[in-house]
Amino acid sequence: MTHPTQVKLVDVGPRDGLQNEQQTVPSAIKVELVHRLQAAGLKAIEVTSFVSPKWVPQMADNAEVMAGIQRQSGVRYSVLTPNLKGFEAALASKPDEIVVFGAASELFSQRNINCSIDDSIERFRPVVAAARAAGIYVRGAISCAMGCPYEGEVSPERVERVARGMKDIGVQHMGVADTIGVATPLKVQRAMEATLRHYDINDVSGHFHDTYGQALANTLISLQMGIWQFDTSVAGLGGCPYAKGATGNVATEDVVYLLHGMGIDTGIDLDKLVDAGQFISNFLGRKSNSRVATALLNKRA
Ligand code: HMG
Ligand code: MG
């Protein structure tokens, strides 16, 4: 069995993790969460999204949160931008990276960003051009790459079509997303292979929600394929408001434990990461969704 010796994790907790929260999370709490994540050694953090506040009210404080962060050198801060209006608003916040997010499922595309898959690519085209002209790195995401809450099964051919479209317009990196956490390893492998027809192995990442408890297995098969970049969420926070019933991303703590146990370097201090997870879980008044954090906290007590 081979696997990479180093892995890069993007903590999407402040964005994917909090976007679905019903209670208002003050900007100062979001900023503090970002500070704790970078103190724990995270080198990439997805901070917020410049989407419509009518669609996702929790992200309405995007500019305040970006302005409140004390940036640490070597850390990359990304934001979601679904269209030019979002990108133009994001520019003032000087993100290092933006994310354009499409879907392999037509109905999910309609429900999440209010347009067809083909229209979404056309909408992303000027965003990607403007970002690259401004020297901002462009990541993409393919939602519902292994299953859709509205359409059910999603074939690898549909994933490939979106990957090709995104590549054609200049998207530099592709995140393959199990939005509703239904995938199992062989489905992940097929979706990854479809994406790898258009993207280099060094430009592909996995984004696994953990609804059915398969995300670590899905991470492992991706590692075995040579994929070394993953989106994870501290304390397993998260969910998409337009994917009802789906739970959070795989917990960063759980993935770090898996990787360190395999001798794979992440540069992350697991204890400090657990503290960051406790900070946000305490604020939300919930227990962490991370099994590893729960075990380590029990051990501390
Ligand atoms: P729309 O209603 O079709 O937009 O929404 P529109 O262009 O027709 O404009 C309607 C109104 O929205 C106008 O305002 C615009 O100015 C405003 P009004 O004249 O009515 O006052 N507007 C905006 N305001 C702020 N920022 C913007 C923006 N754009 C338009 N960027 C739109 C289309 C894409 C904006 C909307 O559908 C939207 O915001 N969707 C975002 C949904 C979302 O954030 N979902 C969660 C993130 S994706 C995710 O979680 C999946 C991921 O984690 C991977 C995975 O797990 O699958 C990434
Ligand atoms: Mg997600």
Side-chain angles (χ1 to χ4, degrees):
M1 189 173 90
T2 60
H3 52 71
T5 53
Q6 272 198 330
V7 159
K8 175 183 161 194
L9 299 182
V10 180
D11 200 295
V12 297
R15 194 282 299 172
D16 202 336
L18 295 178
Q19 68 184 7
N20 206 23
E21 274 303 321
Q22 296 307 306
Q23 57 178 309
T24 305
V25 181
S27 311
I29 296 285
K30 296 173 181 169
V31 168
E32 175 71 19
L33 178 60
V34 171
H35 288 166
R36 286 176 181 251
L37 290 170
Q38 62 192 19
L42 264 302
K43 292 286 178 247
I45 302 173
E46 205 165 272
V47 177
T48 186
S49 17
F50 287 81
V51 297
S52 161
K54 288 189 188 133
W55 284 62
V56 185
Q58 187 66 256
M59 296 286 110
D61 62 351
N62 40 34
E64 287 94 305
V65 175
M66 286 297 279
I69 294 168
Q70 294 199 345
R71 297 191 189 200
Q72 200 171 286
S73 77
V75 178
R76 298 183 65 82
Y77 304 90
S78 55
V79 302
L80 266 56
T81 56
N83 53 17
L84 259 184
K85 186 176 170 86
F87 175 73
E88 277 156 11
L91 254 186
S93 296
K94 299 194 178 352
D96 298 298
E97 301 181 2
I98 59 151
V99 183
V100 290
F101 47 105
S105 140
E106 200 59 61
L107 280 178
F108 187 80
S109 180
Q110 292 287 354
R111 301 277 166 94
N112 195 44
I113 51 173
N114 207 23
C115 65
S116 70
I117 297 171
D118 287 347
D119 287 350
S120 75
I121 305 274
E122 285 316 308
R123 207 184 259 184
F124 299 150
R125 187 189 293 276
V127 176
V128 176
R132 293 195 63 172
I136 298 172
Y137 187 76
V138 181
R139 284 195 284 130
I142 306 177
S143 287
C144 297
M146 308 121 198
C148 168
Y150 310 109
E151 295 184 17
E153 290 281 325
V154 173
S155 70
E157 290 71 32
R158 291 162 72 192
V159 175
E160 190 189 342
R161 203 175 132 229
V162 183
R164 189 192 312 122
M166 295 272 216
K167 184 78 186 180
D168 285 348
I169 61 165
V171 174
Q172 291 160 287
H173 174 105
M174 193 47 58
V176 181
D178 182 11
T179 313
I180 53 171
V182 288
T184 43
L186 294 183
K187 283 195 181 154
V188 169
Q189 186 179 345
R190 288 185 202 114
M192 290 297 184
E193 282 165 356
T195 307
L196 289 166
R197 287 191 198 108
H198 301 282
Y199 281 89
D200 187 82
I201 191 94
N202 296 311
D203 298 323
V204 172
S205 57
H207 176 113
F208 305 124
H209 286 260
D210 202 23
T211 318
Y212 285 79
Q214 305 298 302
L216 284 179
N218 294 336
T219 304
L220 183 59
I221 195 155
S222 306
L223 285 168
Q224 288 168 350
M225 294 179 74
I227 288 160
W228 56 275
Q229 300 175 82
F230 299 92
D231 294 348
T232 60
S233 174
V234 66
L237 299 171
C240 174
Y242 299 98
K244 291 257 174 296
T247 63
N249 297 84
V250 64
T252 311
E253 297 91 319
D254 295 4
V255 174
V256 168
Y257 182 86
L258 169 80
L259 296 170
H260 290 184
M262 292 172 71
I264 300 173
D265 186 28
T266 63
I268 294 168
D269 179 327
L270 183 54
D271 275 317
K272 284 192 185 161
L273 181 63
V274 167
D275 293 339
Q278 265 313 89
F279 164 76
I280 192 65
S281 299
N282 286 342
F283 173 81
L284 296 172
R286 280 203 304 268
K287 285 181 66 178
S288 170
N289 287 325
S290 162
R291 301 283 287 266
V292 166
T294 304
L296 290 176
L297 288 167
N298 286 341
K299 208 166 147 189
R300 279 187 199 171

